[in-house]
Each structure stands twice: as structure tokens, then as C-alpha cells.
């Protein structure tokens, strides 16, 4: 059985999804969860891209144990040096450097010829190798690169010290059969290929990222680059949960498996969705809300007789458990802490205490607290940033024949500011009052509300995405009152924008 390495790029390529940007503390939470999930390599960011990226890589490298921590770097001296500086504290580190190799990119974007691209690639792999043993090279736009030249570049970078060569389908152009043949040709034609692991990095523009990655595995690839929920540039990347569960479910066919602890998949998916504000479509394979919902009478009949009739994966395999009543109004801090650790959360005392205060408040309003409610509370806690603005109080009124009006009080420093505004609906009125108080110029990109569990007393979860000066952030709020959840989500997003500016 071959072991396929999982290289997770949620924090780098995934973060390139519009609106999915994460701050350092959010990235750290995701990285810790990726470590629990058992990924082999975490691409924690692109060190030279921004001070935020640099800090996130440095923090993750210093705090997350287990996986190799990696930084992306263009094939440029300053990028590689910066990647090294960011990775210095990581016990296991990798520099991933890349250069385009397709004629389209070389002619129109780089304006250099093939020889020059090859020289730069080799030189920068050598430079990266002078800093770290573990160097990965990607010939960007590989699937639109002349195969002879691609093999020449691969051979040269392996000679220069790359121990992983990644074949990116940068624009999501290839199809499974063609991609499998490409991987096989590389294995047949590159003399020193046995000195490196072949990785693949597939984008999903034609909806084929997972299929292409699996076809590559069948043809000898030993590393898959992927993201949680398939987030990433444009249509996204290969979805980790899909490729991992395909390998696990069809081990018989692939004769390959990964180190992934599949029971951590659901929690990873929910955490990334909450933090990035990118909701998962209900019919998404493996992690969609309907992935295990059987509607047809014939299917239900078969399932009742024997699960294997219509179920190829059990929900438990991916850590999806039936909603169960766990805690209530009379539960104490210890029960809360114990349940958190049973759910796999590793929080500081302060985080537990803050989440417990909110738990008690919710328990006063809602009789039964389910695991999903606890997850929402904790996710709210981990997406918190320093509060430039904090909600003190809020009132609103609206009705069938009444203009909605909201009064909001917000604490800014030591001052409490109150404003009343009218709106097209109660949420609009609340957001207008918050906008007036905070003086924000941000644009509302997305407002989404969902009930976490069933029942009219369910906890409502709101995700609110804002954009200002080309920076977009997602705020998160949970409350039994969806208007309060909305205000919290909006204020959380404003706090994140403020934190970025400071
Ligand atoms: O899609 C791509 O080609 C990339 C590279 C940097 C590997 O993300
Ligand atoms: Zn990519």
C-alpha cells in the first residue's frame, strides 16, 4: 500500500479565494486543526506577500507540532530569503518555490525565453537548498507546457536539490486521462525522477480537480496538494475531503492511502467555513449538509434493511455524529470544558472562560444545547479579534405596516455611542446605525444567516463579509436572536478590518 502525502494549502491557495482572508489567530486555529487532521505538510502562506502572511507562517512554525510547515516563494532571491526567515522557528520546514514554464506565461507575463526560465529555476532551487533540506519546485502552468521542456526543467531542478516536484494544473485545464498520461510520461522520461516525489496541484475550473488528482495517483504521484472544502483561487483547488475519502473508500483500486484521521474531516470543514465565511453547498461531496441525507423511499427502505445498500461511507467515518443533547442551563464549567475536549477543542483557559460566559447566556434562552451550538460558540470565540468596537445594547422595532427602526449602543474605547436609524428591514436599520456610529466606509459583500439546529429556539449563525481598500474580511456572530447575531457578525467584521489597519 503506497502512502500518499497530503499537502494542505488552505492557508495559502485557499486564502486566495475572494473574501476568504484570515488573520494570524484564525490561521493558527486552522493550522492546529490541520495538525489534528493529520496532514503531512501545511503551506502556511506566501511569506513575502505581506507582513500578515509572514507573521502567520512564523507563528504557525513556532506553535504547530507535527506537520512540515511550508512557505511559498517565487523563484526570486528576496522571496526565498523571506520564506526562510518566516520558517526559521519551525522544527520541520519546506520552501516551495515556483516559476512558470508554459510558453504562454513566459511570452506574455514574464517576457523571457525558456532558457532563462530554466536558469532562474535552477538557481533559486539551489539557493533554497542552501537554507533548507526540504525544497519543492513547481513549474507553474505545467499542463500547458511543452512536455519536452517540462521534463528538462524537472530534471534540472531535481539535480539542483528539489526533493518534491509539483505538477500544477494552474488554470484547471487538463482532464483525468490526459493528466494521468502526463504524470506517467514524466516518470518515464525524467532520468532522476526517483530522487523526488511527484506532487500534483489541480484547480477546479472544469470541476475535475479531484478526478485529475486521483488519476495522477494511479500514475505514480505521491503527494496531493489540496484544500479543506476545495476553497482556492477562482473555482478552487482539489478538495481534501474528497480526494482522501476516494482513496480510503477505494483502497482496493488505488492500493494507496493517506495519514489523514478522517474523523476530523467534519470539524475541519466547519472551522474553515466559519472562519472564511465560505459556506459549503448542501450537495457538496462528503461535507455538504445533504451528503448523508437519503430522501428516496426506495433508498430509505434499503438502508433500514442494511446500510451498505446505499451508503458507501458511514457518517461516523468523517466525524459526523447524530445531533445529541449534551448540556443545559444547569451544566457547570467542568462539564462544558469536558465536552469541549471530547469535541477535540484545545483552548486556552481564557478562551474556555469566555466561551462559558456565552454558553450560560445561551443556556438561559435555549433549553437544550447541542454539540453544533457549542461548536458555533467556540468558533465565535476563535474568530474574535481585539475589540475596537463592542456591542453594548440594541433595540429595534418593525412590523407589517411599520418602518423598521433600530437603536444601537456601541462602546468605542471608554465612550459609549448611541444612534437610531431607519432601514428597509430590521437588519438594514441595525447595520445603518452601526455604520453611522463607527463611520465605516466598508462595503457589505455578503450577509448570510442560518439556523444551527432545528426548532424556533435554535441558535442563529450569521456570516457577514465586508470589503474596504481591497481587503475583505468575514465576521461571525451566533445568538438565539438573529438580529443580535447579525449585529455581532457585522461588528466582528468591522473589528477585523480595524485590526488589519493597526
Ligand atoms: O496554481 C498554481 O500553479 C499554484 C502554484 C504556486 C503551485 O498555486
Ligand atoms: Zn494554485
Amino acid at each position: 500500500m503506497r502512502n500518499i502525502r497530503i499537502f494542505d494549502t488552505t492557508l495559502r491557495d485557499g486564502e486566495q479565494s475572494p473574501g476568504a482572508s484570515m488573520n494570524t489567530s484564525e490561521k493558527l486555529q486552522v493550522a492546529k486543526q490541520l495538525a489534528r487532521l493529520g496532514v503531512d505538510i501545511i503551506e502556511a502562506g506566501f511569506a513575502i506577500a505581506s507582513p500578515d502572511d509572514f507573521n502567520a507562517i512564523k507563528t504557525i512554525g513556532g506553535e504547530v507540532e507535527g506537520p512540515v510547515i511550508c512557505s511559498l516563494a517565487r523563484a526570486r532571491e528576496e522571496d526565498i530569503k523571506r520564506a526562510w526567515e518566516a520558517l526559521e522557528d519551525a522544527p520541520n520546514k519546506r520552501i516551495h518555490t515556483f516559476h512558470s514554464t508554459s510558453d504562454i506565461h513566459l511570452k506574455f507575463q514574464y517576457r523571457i525565453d525558456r532558457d532563462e526560465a530554466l536558469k532562474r529555476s535552477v538557481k533559486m532551487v539551489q539557493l533554497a537548498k542552501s537554507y533548507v533540506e526540504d525544497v519543492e519546485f513547481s513549474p507553474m502552468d505545467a499542463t500547458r507546457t511543452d512536455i519536452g521542456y517540462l521534463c528538462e526543467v524537472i530534471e534540472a531542478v531535481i539535480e539542483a536539490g528539489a526533493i518534491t516536484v509539483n505538477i500544477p494544473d494552474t488554470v484547471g485545464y487538463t482532464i483525468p486521462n490526459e493528466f494521468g498520461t502526463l504524470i506517467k510520461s514524466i516518470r518515464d522520461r525524467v532520468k532522476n525522477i526517483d530522487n523526488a516525489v511527484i506532487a500534483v496541484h489541480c484547480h477546479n475550473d472544469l470541476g475535475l480537480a479531484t478526478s485529475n488528482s486521483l488519476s495522477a495517483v494511479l500514475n505514480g504521484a505521491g503527494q496531493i496538494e489540496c484544500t479543506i472544502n476545495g476553497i482556492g483561487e477562482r473555482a478552487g483547488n482539489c478538495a481534501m475531503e474528497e480526494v482522501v475519502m476516494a482513496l480510503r473508500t477505494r483502497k482496493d483500486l488505488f492500493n494507496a492511502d493517506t495519514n489523514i484521521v478522517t474523523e476530523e474531516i467534519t470539524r475541519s470543514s466547519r472551522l474553515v467555513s466559519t472562519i472564511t465565511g465560505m459556506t459549503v453547498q448542501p450537495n457538496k461531496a462528503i461535507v455538504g449538509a445533504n451528503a448523508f441525507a437519503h430522501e428516496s423511499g426506495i433508498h430509505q427502505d434499503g438502508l433500514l434493511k442494511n446500510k451498505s445498500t446505499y451508503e458507501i461511507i458511514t457518517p461516523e467515518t468523517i466525524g459526523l455524529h447524530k445531533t445529541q443533547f449534551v448540556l443545559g442551563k444547569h451544566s457547570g464549567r467542568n462539564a462544558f470544558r469536558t465536552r469541549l475536549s471530547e469535541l477535540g477543542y484545545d483552548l486556552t483557559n481564557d478562551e474556555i472562560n469566555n466561551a462559558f460566559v456565552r454558553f450560560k447566556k445561551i443556556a438561559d434562552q435555549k433549553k437544550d444545547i447541542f454539540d453544533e451550538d457549542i461548536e458555533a460558540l467556540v468558533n465565535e470565540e476563535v474568530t474574535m479579534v481585539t475589540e475596537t468596537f463592542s456591542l453594548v445594547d440594541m433595540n429595534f422595532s418593525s412590523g407589517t405596516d411599520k418602518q423598521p427602526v433600530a437603536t444601537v449602543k456601541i462602546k468605542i474605547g471608554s465612550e459609549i455611542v448611541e444612534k437610531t436609524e431607519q432601514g428597509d428591514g430590521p437588519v438594514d436599520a441595525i447595520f445603518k446605525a452601526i455604520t453611522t456610529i463607527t463611520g465605516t466606509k466598508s462595503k457589505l459583500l455578503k450577509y448570510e444567516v442560518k439556523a444551527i439546529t432545528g426548532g424556533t429556539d435554535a441558535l442563529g449563525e450569521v456570516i457577514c463579509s465586508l470589503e474596504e481598500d481591497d481587503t475583505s474580511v468575514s465576521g461571525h456572530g451566533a445568538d438565539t436572536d438573529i438580529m443580535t447575531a447579525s449585529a455581532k457578525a457585522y461588528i466582528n467584521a468591522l473589528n477585523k478590518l480595524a485590526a488589519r489597519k493597526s
Side-chain angles (χ1 to χ4, degrees):
M1 181 84 47
R2 292 166 62 219
N3 183 268
I4 307 298
R5 292 182 192 170
I6 294 296
F7 175 112
D8 185 280
T9 183
T10 306
L11 299 176
R12 198 278 299 169
D13 212 319
E15 211 217 3
Q16 286 171 223
S17 322
S21 71
M22 297 171 244
N23 61 35
T24 297
S25 112
E26 291 168 338
K27 285 186 180 173
L28 183 61
Q29 289 297 329
V30 173
K32 284 184 177 167
Q33 179 56 28
L34 290 173
R36 281 193 284 268
L37 181 63
V39 308
D40 300 285
I41 304 115
I42 297 177
E43 188 163 54
F46 188 175
I48 204 159
S50 70
D52 282 350
D53 257 55
F54 180 89
N55 290 335
I57 300 169
K58 205 159 183 55
T59 310
I60 291 169
E63 292 193 31
V64 177
E65 284 170 23
V68 171
I69 308 300
C70 170
S71 169
L72 186 67
R74 288 168 301 183
R76 291 187 184 191
E77 240 174 89
E78 62 275 26
D79 281 41
I80 289 169
K81 191 159 172 285
R82 196 78 179 134
W84 159 247
E85 286 162 1
L87 289 168
E88 232 169 351
D89 304 332
N92 301 309
K93 37 189 162 274
R94 171 180 295 191
I95 294 179
H96 173 197
T97 185
F98 69 98
H99 199 298
S100 284
T101 48
S102 69
D103 287 338
I104 303 177
H105 282 205
L106 295 185
K107 182 170 172 207
F108 297 112
Q109 190 181 7
Y110 288 79
R111 296 168 205 268
I112 57 171
D113 63 17
R114 289 182 180 182
D115 276 352
E116 179 59 26
L118 187 133
K119 262 193 238 143
R120 286 187 193 178
S121 304
V122 167
K123 204 166 157 210
M124 290 306 120
V125 168
Q126 284 165 341
L127 179 66
K129 196 77 179 177
S130 70
Y131 289 115
V132 291
E133 170 52 30
D134 191 345
V135 175
E136 170 171 332
F137 178 80
S138 292
M140 191 153 82
D141 205 16
T143 50
R144 294 192 300 166
T145 299
D146 170 74
I147 173 86
Y149 176 62
L150 181 64
C151 290
E152 205 184 320
V153 172
I154 294 172
E155 193 170 318
V157 295
I158 295 176
E159 182 65 35
I163 58 171
T164 304
V165 278
N166 178 35
I167 311 302
D169 183 25
T170 304
V171 290
Y173 177 70
T174 196
I175 60 165
N177 191 23
E178 180 187 59
F179 196 50
T181 306
L182 174 65
I183 301 301
K184 184 166 182 320
S185 305
I186 291 170
R187 284 181 59 213
D188 291 343
R189 291 167 67 159
V190 176
K191 275 202 314 272
N192 53 3
I193 196 68
D194 288 341
N195 298 339
V197 171
I198 301 179
V200 290
H201 175 109
C202 297
H203 278 273
N204 205 29
D205 299 66
L206 296 175
L208 294 170
T210 303
S211 308
N212 288 335
S213 306
L214 291 170
S215 173
V217 168
L218 285 173
N219 286 281
Q223 176 180 300
I224 297 173
E225 306 205 352
C226 48
T227 59
I228 305 288
N229 299 336
I231 65 170
E233 189 81 33
R234 308 180 309 279
N237 287 69
C238 169
M240 188 280 301
E241 60 281 1
E242 292 176 11
V243 83
V244 163
M245 288 315 295
L247 290 173
R248 182 70 49 95
T249 310
R250 298 306 311 274
K251 263 198 278 207
D252 59 321
L253 190 100
F254 289 103
N255 196 26
D257 202 358
T258 67
N259 295 328
I260 294 297
V261 180
T262 60
E263 290 75 12
E264 291 290 334
I265 286 179
T266 299
R267 186 173 312 123
S268 310
S269 166
R270 287 186 185 159
L271 182 69
V272 168
S273 165
T274 303
I275 285 181
T276 59
M278 295 190 69
T279 32
V280 174
Q281 78 199 57
N283 60 331
K284 164 87 178 60
I286 316 294
V287 290
N290 295 349
F292 294 92
H294 299 268
E295 193 69 26
S296 136
I298 298 174
H299 291 200
Q300 287 172 353
D301 173 61
L303 279 167
L304 286 172
K305 290 174 177 148
N306 188 313
K307 289 228 160 146
S308 67
T309 49
Y310 291 95
E311 201 171 73
I312 58 163
I313 304 166
T314 66
E316 291 76 24
T317 319
I318 59 148
L320 184 64
H321 300 283
K322 278 210 185 73
T323 292
Q324 45 176 306
F325 163 73
V326 282
L327 298 172
K329 188 173 168 157
H330 302 293
S331 310
R333 196 180 303 261
N334 249 345
F336 183 66
R337 183 192 292 271
T338 306
R339 192 61 200 155
L340 282 180
S341 92
E342 282 165 5
L343 287 170
Y345 287 105
D346 171 25
L347 301 185
T348 62
N349 276 341
D350 278 355
E351 285 170 333
I352 294 176
N353 289 343
N354 292 341
F356 184 68
V357 171
R358 282 208 299 282
F359 161 75
K360 277 304 214 189
K361 214 172 141 221
I362 301 288
D364 275 341
Q365 297 159 340
K366 184 177 187 303
K367 194 165 146 276
D368 300 335
I369 309 279
F370 299 96
D371 286 345
E372 289 89 336
D373 296 322
I374 295 181
E375 280 174 357
L377 286 178
V378 174
N379 288 341
E380 197 181 53
E381 181 56 39
V382 301
T383 57
M384 281 276 174
V385 286
T386 310
E387 291 201 299
T388 308
F389 312 109
S390 58
L391 180 66
V392 177
D393 191 17
M394 164 189 115
N395 279 294
F396 64 89
S397 67
S398 83
T400 334
D401 291 320
K402 206 169 153 202
Q403 168 91 50
V405 57
T407 301
V408 179
K409 273 191 212 165
I410 290 181
K411 189 163 178 218
I412 310 174
S414 55
E415 202 191 343
I416 293 183
V417 188
E418 177 177 326
K419 285 281 178 247
T420 299
E421 292 284 353
Q422 294 186 330
D424 290 335
V427 175
D428 189 44
I430 292 165
F431 281 17
K432 276 188 177 145
I434 297 172
T435 305
T436 312
I437 295 171
T438 57
T440 177
K441 303 266 180 301
S442 60
K443 190 169 126 206
L444 181 65
L445 296 180
K446 185 169 87 177
Y447 167 77
E448 237 176 56
V449 57
K450 69 171 191 220
I452 292 175
T453 49
T456 48
D457 69 345
L459 206 57
E461 190 176 35
V462 174
I463 290 169
C464 188
S465 302
L466 300 180
E467 186 183 60
E468 193 179 317
D469 298 336
D470 287 337
T471 303
S472 50
V473 293
S474 288
H476 179 272
D479 203 281
T480 47
D481 178 329
I482 56 164
M483 296 305 153
T484 307
S486 303
K488 281 184 180 175
Y490 190 32
I491 292 171
N492 179 230
L494 289 174
N495 282 328
K496 285 186 182 178
L497 282 175
R500 294 255 163 149
K501 282 188 211 153
S502 63

